């Protein structure tokens, strides 16, 4: 019988090998791929909560857990695709034009995947038109825009406008070191998150609202 509680614990602890082995064992035992994925999502939700509450989880721990989940998820992705199970939501993410920082943005992508989002990552230095084109192509529920420089932060306004111009219903979430709640409201973003764990929570809240 599959030990999904142990899988949750392995992902939370960032133990890649154990996470992969337990995932394979669960597959071999005939466990539904969605159930296996849910066990890992629970782990990432807990990692995110501990990070947000300063309970001994920092950026490196979050990255290690996310990598463990990524490797284990690779085993079930073909099964999920074959069974017609797709992530509940889609997010497009990218770093604003002129900005090459991507570590925080990548972390946001990993946390969104852990929260059952399919993530289309446009990379860094993304022009407003490229965000708009991605909205037209992928029809996301949420667009996440990251900025790490005070000089590039100003370009977020054009990116937010371009996304809303492409689809007024898409929720835009912004974040990054120089971004604040007030700034997000000023440029017309729908939400702001101070870190990657909060980004996944805010993205879900925006869709539930
Ligand atoms: Co640069 N850099 N950098 N840099 N860099 C900073 C940001 C800086 C604060 C360093 C400093 O001066 N103390 C400073 C910005 C100052 C400012 O404008 N306020 C700076 C500068 C000036 C520059 C250059 C201009 C330097 C130069 O060339 N003279 C240059 C700019 C290049 C460009 O982008 N056009 C530059 C270049 C680089 C490197 C390429 C060398 C490298 C980036 C490598 C990469 O990303 N692949 C780099 C790095 C590594 C940094 C620091 C050291 C680390 C950034 C980082 O990855 N942090 C940074 C100083 C620092 O932060 N201590 C610095 C870890 C990461 C997990 O945190 O990205 O903040 P962060 O993400 C957080 C939150 O911000 C949030 O969640 C994450 C945590 O969970 N978050 C979001 C981020 N995006 C979000 C999106 C969301 C929600 C939350 O929703 C969508």
């Amino acid at each position: 019988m599959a030990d999904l509680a142990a899988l949750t614990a392995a992902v939370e602890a960032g133990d890649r090998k154990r996470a992969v082995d337990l995932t394979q064992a669960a597959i071999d035992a005939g466990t539904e791929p969605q159930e296996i994925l849910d066990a890992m999502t629970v782990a990432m939700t807990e990692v995110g909560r501990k990070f947000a509450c300063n309970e001994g989880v920092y950026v490196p721990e979050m990255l290690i857990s996310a990598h463990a989940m990524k490797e284990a998820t690779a085993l079930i992705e073909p099964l999920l695709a074959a069974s017609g199970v797709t992530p509940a939501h889609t997010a497009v993410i990218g770093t604003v034009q002129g900005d090459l920082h991507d570590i925080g943005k990548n972390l946001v992508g990993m946390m969104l995947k852990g929260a059952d989002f399919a993530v289309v990552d446009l990379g860094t230095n993304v022009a407003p038109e490229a965000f708009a084109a991605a909205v037209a192509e992928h029809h996301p529920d949420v667009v996440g825009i990251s900025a790490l420089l005070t000089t590039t932060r100003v370009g977020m306004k054009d990116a937010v406008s371009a996304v809303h111009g492409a689809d007024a219903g898409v929720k835009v979430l912004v974040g990054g070191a120089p971004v604040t709640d007030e700034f997000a409201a000023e440029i017309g973003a729908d939400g702001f998150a101070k870190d990657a764990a909060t980004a996944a929570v805010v993205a879900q809240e925006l869709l539930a609202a």
Side-chain angles (χ1 to χ4, degrees), residues 51 59 62 98-105 107-108 144-146 148-151 173-177 193-196 199:
F51 175 82
V59 167
M62 201 153 67
D99 200 320
L100 301 176
H101 296 85
D102 69 357
I103 299 169
K105 181 264 300 167
L107 209 43
V108 169
I145 307 172
S146 177
L148 260 290
L149 299 171
T150 39
T151 48
L173 173 65
V174 294
K194 66 178 180 9
D195 56 55

Side-chain angles (χ1 to χ4, degrees), residues 129-196:
E129 306 78 48
F131 277 111
V135 168
E137 183 180 349
H138 301 287
H139 308 289
D141 306 286
V142 172
V143 172
I145 307 172
S146 177
L148 260 290
L149 299 171
T150 39
T151 48
T152 56
R153 173 183 95 140
V154 291
M156 287 180 132
K157 187 172 186 201
D158 287 343
V160 172
S161 302
V163 169
H164 281 153
D167 180 347
V170 177
K171 304 293 183 191
V172 185
L173 173 65
V174 294
V179 182
T180 61
D181 219 348
E182 294 73 32
F183 180 76
E186 204 179 297
I187 62 172
D190 300 290
F192 160 76
K194 66 178 180 9
D195 56 55

Side-chain angles (χ1 to χ4, degrees), residues 110-134:
M110 287 176 174
M111 293 309 287
L112 285 171
K113 282 184 186 169
D116 207 11
F117 278 78
V119 176
V120 179
D121 188 343
L122 303 180
T124 59
N125 188 24
V126 182
E129 306 78 48
F131 277 111

